[in-house]
Amino acid sequence: MIIADEELGIRELLESDKFFLIKWLNDPLVLQYYEGRDNPHDTEMINQIFYQQDDTVTCCIIEFEQKAIGYIQFYPLDSQEKKEYGYDDLDDIYGTDQFIGEIDYWDKGIGTRLINLIIDHLMYKKHSEKIVLDPQAWNQRAIACYEKCGFQKVKYLPKHEYHEGELTDCWLMEYSK
């Protein structure tokens, strides 16, 4: 485990986790929020997107009571991302992306616990100056979760992410000590 509390853990992605990712990223309810319902993932896509990341991206599985329930990745922002977001004067900024793929675990406070775990890991073990994420502007449930954990909206990103056939607006949200 990279980090865990009594019930919730984050561990590095294994080859055997491919089947969870295929299941989750073919569920229209999950895809509605992550990647888009018009973008179901086959084995080749899973291999390319999740198993051929560069070495700076840490790809992980989220476990609740030792059951795989979702995915999270975190990474230091590269110079292009820092410039785009207005952080070119800072060194240690991490980004994160995540989803809970088992819908029976939605709306149970697990997302809040997950974000608090990753904040603790990135701020106090990786010594990040800031953590950023960029949820789609319409995803009020995710935004509320992030705000509950101390993230603040800092920049509106029009037409930032391709989702379900169109470029959608996002919010840049940041957490700082």
Side-chain angles (χ1 to χ4, degrees), residues 60 91-92 115 122:
C60 301
D91 289 328
D92 296 316
I115 296 303
L122 295 176

Side-chain angles (χ1 to χ4, degrees), residues 152-167:
Q152 296 180 344
K153 295 176 184 171
V154 293
K155 185 177 183 182
Y156 195 72
L157 306 168
K159 298 185 185 308
H160 180 70
E161 182 174 287
Y162 195 73
H163 186 80
E164 298 194 346
E166 64 183 351
L167 285 170

Side-chain angles (χ1 to χ4, degrees), residues 74-93:
F74 54 91
Y75 46 89
L77 263 58
D78 63 29
S79 57
Q80 180 183 343
E81 291 166 318
K82 286 181 188 178
K83 184 175 179 139
E84 176 186 354
Y85 292 154
Y87 295 120
D88 33 357
D89 60 332
L90 298 175
D91 289 328
D92 296 316
I93 301 177

Side-chain angles (χ1 to χ4, degrees), residues 2-97:
I2 292 174
I3 189 166
D5 67 16
E6 307 80 40
E7 301 169 310
L8 187 64
I10 300 170
R11 65 165 173 79
E12 288 205 44
L13 185 68
L14 304 172
E15 185 70 25
S16 57
D17 295 323
K18 187 178 303 182
F19 303 103
F20 296 124
L21 292 168
I22 290 169
K23 175 188 172 199
W24 300 330
L25 294 174
N26 278 281
D27 183 330
L29 292 173
V30 174
L31 289 171
Q32 177 180 354
Y33 296 97
Y34 194 88
E35 297 295 328
R37 291 170 285 200
D38 61 343
N39 196 22
H41 287 49
D42 59 19
T43 305
E44 185 178 326
M45 286 176 73
I46 295 293
N47 284 333
Q48 189 174 43
I49 294 169
F50 296 94
Y51 290 92
Q52 295 177 12
Q53 294 272 8
D54 79 38
D55 291 341
T56 63
V57 179
T58 304
C59 301
C60 301
I61 289 293
I62 304 159
E63 290 186 347
F64 187 77
E65 296 178 338
Q66 299 181 346
K67 176 185 175 160
I69 64 163
Y71 174 81
I72 186 167
Q73 65 184 22
F74 54 91
Y75 46 89
L77 263 58
D78 63 29
S79 57
Q80 180 183 343
E81 291 166 318
K82 286 181 188 178
K83 184 175 179 139
E84 176 186 354
Y85 292 154
Y87 295 120
D88 33 357
D89 60 332
L90 298 175
D91 289 328
D92 296 316
I93 301 177
Y94 275 79
T96 181
D97 305 293

Side-chain angles (χ1 to χ4, degrees), residues 117-128:
L117 274 178
I118 203 67
I119 287 170
D120 182 64
H121 181 71
L122 295 176
M123 295 302 280
Y124 303 104
K125 292 186 178 69
K126 296 282 189 182
H127 306 290
S128 182

